[in-house]
Amino acid sequence: MEIFHIAAECYPVAKVGGLGDVVGALPKYQSKMGHLVRVVLPRYETKFIEENVFQSIYNGHVKLGNFNFPFTIIKEINDKLGFELYLVEISELFDRKEVYGYEDDSERFLAFQIATLDWIVTREKNPDVINCHDHHTGLIPFMMLNAYKYLNLQNVPTVITIHNSIYQGQFGFDKLYYLPDFGLAKVNVLEWDNRINSLATAIKCASAVTTVSPNYLNEINYYAYGLEYLFNLVRYKSKGILNGIDVEVWNPAFDKMLSTNYSITNFVKGKQGNKEWLCSQFDLDPTKPLFSFIGRLLEEKGADLLTHAAALALSENYKEINILILGSGNQEIENQLSHLLASFKGNYNVFIGYDEELAHLIYAGSDFLLMPSKVEPCGLNQMYSMRYGTIPVVRRTGGLKDTVIDFEDGGNGICHDQASITDICYSIQRAVNLYKDKKKLNKVRKIGMIRDHSWENVCKEYIELYNLIINIV
């Protein structure tokens, strides 16, 4: 089967969040199953792209209204990632350091989608299936069905995988003329809440809709930032498939980013070695339980609760715990977390930004990982932490509910129901009590470490879905 994945992120080429991890792993494991897998994303200014060799395979022009952008499709020639990697090079739009956050993001990702289809439609053989990821590629299914110049792609089945329904890629109808020509009777397909909505359009047009966990699919049928009714309409073609993790990248026995490697047979000593390294770097006490947070400092991640919860937890525990934060995002939240340093020096620290090596060390050296998310479509951090013997402390939502069971129910973590300071602090206190019982603590750690979150079974579910829609189309 020839599979195309089209996305805005792919680790290690370009990564902002979990989307990048998934698009970097799912295609690799599908390729291992014997499928021909091709990944397409924009060419950004990133270290991976600068350090690897690409060859040009196609040239064209994207017309957005009065704007005409030359583009080149380039291919990474050594297949270093375990699948074929293609980049869409549009210098005027993507010759930048950041993936997102520009005023012309609508134009950038629309041009990316059009360029991708301009290339695919010229190939001798159509793909068996095209898997689009999030709103950045959400107009592809619509254009394949309706744009005159892509009529040869009408019978190619498409999947839209939703990693987060908060971000929908909306823009005004004043930019309608940017799209390739199509019958205007179909313009209503693009509309949701009086705007062009890329995600809503993909949901309407794709052959199948997937979410990154079963529970998230249930949740968005009740609350999805205005798309609830639409998700209910397409439930018949929707499936929740829980993400996996790349167990080759995330393996404490061979992870080159750690100060001490370990496995399930010697994790107590190994974790302590990484903890001591972390504590020496961040002025913390390695004899105390270490709670960490890794991720984007945004309200959806519960990061707006972290400042008060951390201050209260440190005060109530009489500085018997350590808390370490790694992340960036909302500047106000960043400032609040930074200001805590003055009050809790020696028991608290924060690293504003993101560092992949440091993240691996924190997963390995921490005792508990805080994930008080208000929204968590799947969550990968809890899977990484369990793989490294770190116990996740999570709110029961989205994929966290699918993957973490409270230790008092024989599970692998500590769970709470509300995204509130009270629930976070109560869970931290439960974690402190568990930490004192080393026998029980290590039992919970082992349960998490042996849990299978690899991509093999996930890939099988995707392939079954692909076969189903290929037979239907």
Side-chain angles (χ1 to χ4, degrees), residues 347-365:
N347 294 88
Y348 170 87
N349 217 322
V350 59
F351 183 102
I352 299 299
Y354 185 75
D355 182 288
E356 188 75 20
E357 182 173 346
L358 179 57
H360 282 241
L361 283 158
I362 292 175
Y363 286 121

Side-chain angles (χ1 to χ4, degrees), residues 292-294 301 369-373 376 378-383 385 392-397 400 416:
S292 296
F293 174 94
I294 301 173
K301 298 294 184 182
L369 185 80
L370 299 172
M371 294 188 70
S373 303
E376 196 63 71
C378 175
L380 298 174
N381 290 9
Q382 79 277 16
M383 300 186 204
S385 71
V393 181
V394 308
R395 176 175 173 250
R396 292 186 180 97
T397 188
L400 298 178
H416 57 92

Side-chain angles (χ1 to χ4, degrees), residues 306-320:
L306 277 177
T307 304
H308 297 297
L312 186 59
L314 287 163
S315 300
E316 288 184 346
N317 285 280
Y318 301 102
K319 297 190 176 182
E320 291 182 356

Side-chain angles (χ1 to χ4, degrees), residues 206-220:
S207 310
V209 176
T210 67
T211 61
V212 289
S213 73
N215 189 57
Y216 187 58
L217 179 59
N218 294 330
E219 290 179 354
I220 58 178

Side-chain angles (χ1 to χ4, degrees), residues 180-444:
D181 290 342
F182 65 94
L184 289 180
K186 297 291 185 179
V187 72
N188 63 307
V189 179
L190 295 165
E191 187 271 336
W192 195 263
D193 196 22
N194 299 315
R195 304 190 75 197
I196 294 174
N197 186 309
S198 300
L199 185 61
T201 301
I203 293 165
K204 295 175 189 178
C205 295
S207 310
V209 176
T210 67
T211 61
V212 289
S213 73
N215 189 57
Y216 187 58
L217 179 59
N218 294 330
E219 290 179 354
I220 58 178
N221 278 265
Y222 297 98
Y223 185 70
Y225 306 92
L227 298 183
E228 302 84 7
Y229 176 70
L230 181 56
F231 278 119
N232 277 276
L233 285 179
V234 302
R235 188 64 186 256
Y236 71 95
K237 64 174 183 179
S238 303
K239 183 177 179 61
I241 302 177
L242 184 69
N243 282 339
I245 62 173
D246 191 334
V247 295
E248 294 176 2
V249 173
W250 298 94
N251 186 343
F254 303 105
D255 191 337
K256 294 180 180 178
M257 300 184 191
L258 304 189
S259 68
T260 305
N261 291 109
Y262 59 93
S263 67
I264 197 167
T265 61
N266 63 343
F267 69 88
V268 174
K269 182 178 179 181
K271 285 188 66 62
Q272 186 63 28
N274 288 286
K275 185 177 181 180
E276 288 174 359
W277 184 94
L278 275 177
C279 290
S280 69
Q281 296 297 308
F282 290 96
D283 191 27
L284 302 172
D285 186 345
T287 66
K288 298 174 182 177
L290 175 58
F291 293 82
S292 296
F293 174 94
I294 301 173
R296 288 171 289 169
L297 300 177
L298 304 174
E299 288 190 15
E300 67 182 87
K301 298 294 184 182
D304 57 321
L305 306 172
L306 277 177
T307 304
H308 297 297
L312 186 59
L314 287 163
S315 300
E316 288 184 346
N317 285 280
Y318 301 102
K319 297 190 176 182
E320 291 182 356
I321 65 173
N322 294 322
I323 296 178
L324 177 61
I325 309 291
L326 168 64
S328 63
N330 183 294
Q331 189 169 356
E332 183 178 351
I333 296 174
E334 291 179 3
N335 292 337
Q336 290 173 353
L337 290 167
S338 296
H339 289 157
L340 281 184
L341 278 168
S343 301
F344 299 103
K345 186 174 176 57
N347 294 88
Y348 170 87
N349 217 322
V350 59
F351 183 102
I352 299 299
Y354 185 75
D355 182 288
E356 188 75 20
E357 182 173 346
L358 179 57
H360 282 241
L361 283 158
I362 292 175
Y363 286 121
S366 299
D367 298 297
F368 302 97
L369 185 80
L370 299 172
M371 294 188 70
S373 303
K374 298 176 183 178
V375 179
E376 196 63 71
C378 175
L380 298 174
N381 290 9
Q382 79 277 16
M383 300 186 204
Y384 299 149
S385 71
M386 288 187 285
R387 176 83 166 151
Y388 284 66
T390 294
I391 298 172
V393 181
V394 308
R395 176 175 173 250
R396 292 186 180 97
T397 188
L400 298 178
K401 188 174 181 179
D402 287 315
T403 53
V404 183
I405 300 170
D406 196 88
F407 75 94
E408 290 189 350
D409 296 319
N412 48 11
I414 296 173
C415 304
H416 57 92
D417 291 314
Q418 303 301 320
S420 69
I421 295 169
T422 301
D423 271 32
I424 295 169
C425 289
Y426 178 67
S427 295
I428 289 175
Q429 186 56 58
R430 291 182 66 210
V432 171
N433 294 337
L434 176 62
Y435 184 81
K436 294 175 181 177
D437 186 341
K438 290 297 189 288
K439 184 177 180 180
K440 184 181 289 187
L441 175 75
N442 290 331
K443 179 181 178 181
V444 177

